[in-house]
Amino acid sequence: MTVLDMLKEVKLINVEINNMKKLLLILFMIITSSANGQSPCGDNLCVVQFNAGFNETNKVTWVGKLTDCSNKFIDIQTNTTAAGKYKIVVVPTLVIYNNGEEVDRFQANIMMKMEATKEEVQEKIDEILMDSF
């Protein structure tokens, strides 16, 4: 092997290392921007309803009646980045967040109607509160 061949090989290795660094940086950016741990409610115990204007008739009306938590509504039709950011695949979707982390998720059926009841969601909220003691 000549010196020239060795230099070419070293240059290829450096290019591969630089490409790996770029790939790792991109992966890091993707991971840190994912929805995991990114609550739209901050650190509060909160139930977020994700729905869309076109599915207004299936809005979960009882979310505001849940106790011991705050609630928020996000329309993925107007907030176009929310569906991807929070991994919403069907509307309506209810997501419970506590201390900035997703704790539970209730999704609509194929007819875009919520099957979970107020009692089921409230039970999960009560369970979260009891576990915090």
Side-chain angles (χ1 to χ4, degrees), residues 32 34-40 42-43 85-86 97-102:
T32 57
S34 71
N36 294 338
Q38 292 186 5
S39 167
D43 288 337
K85 183 175 183 180
Y86 298 105
Y97 292 95
N98 189 33
N99 295 323
E101 299 289 328
E102 180 176 335

Side-chain angles (χ1 to χ4, degrees), residues 32-69:
T32 57
S33 68
S34 71
N36 294 338
Q38 292 186 5
S39 167
C41 308
D43 288 337
N44 299 325
L45 176 57
C46 179
V47 177
V48 180
Q49 177 178 181
F50 294 90
N51 204 354
F54 63 82
N55 193 40
E56 183 68 23
T57 58
N58 291 322
K59 183 176 181 179
V60 184
T61 57
W62 47 258
V63 171
K65 296 177 183 171
L66 295 168
T67 60
D68 301 316
C69 67

Side-chain angles (χ1 to χ4, degrees), residues 60-114:
V60 184
T61 57
W62 47 258
V63 171
K65 296 177 183 171
L66 295 168
T67 60
D68 301 316
C69 67
S70 59
N71 64 75
K72 187 170 184 169
F73 180 85
I74 296 178
D75 185 331
I76 65 166
Q77 190 171 354
T78 57
N79 183 346
T80 55
T81 61
K85 183 175 183 180
Y86 298 105
K87 297 177 178 35
I88 304 303
V89 295
V90 64
V91 289
T93 294
L94 302 178
V95 182
I96 301 175
Y97 292 95
N98 189 33
N99 295 323
E101 299 289 328
E102 180 176 335
V103 178
D104 208 346
R105 180 178 289 241
F106 301 88
Q107 295 179 320
N109 62 22
I110 195 166
M111 299 301 292
M112 295 194 298
K113 291 187 178 188
M114 181 58 64

Side-chain angles (χ1 to χ4, degrees), residues 4-17:
L4 185 58
D5 291 334
M6 290 179 8
L7 288 173
K8 286 180 184 177
E9 191 171 312
V10 169
K11 186 176 179 180
L12 286 175
I13 291 171
N14 285 337
V15 169
E16 289 175 11
I17 290 172

Side-chain angles (χ1 to χ4, degrees), residues 15-29:
V15 169
E16 289 175 11
I17 290 172
N18 285 335
N19 287 341
M20 287 295 269
K21 286 179 183 177
K22 289 176 187 174
L23 180 62
L24 287 173
L25 180 62
I26 291 169
L27 285 173
F28 177 75
M29 290 170 53

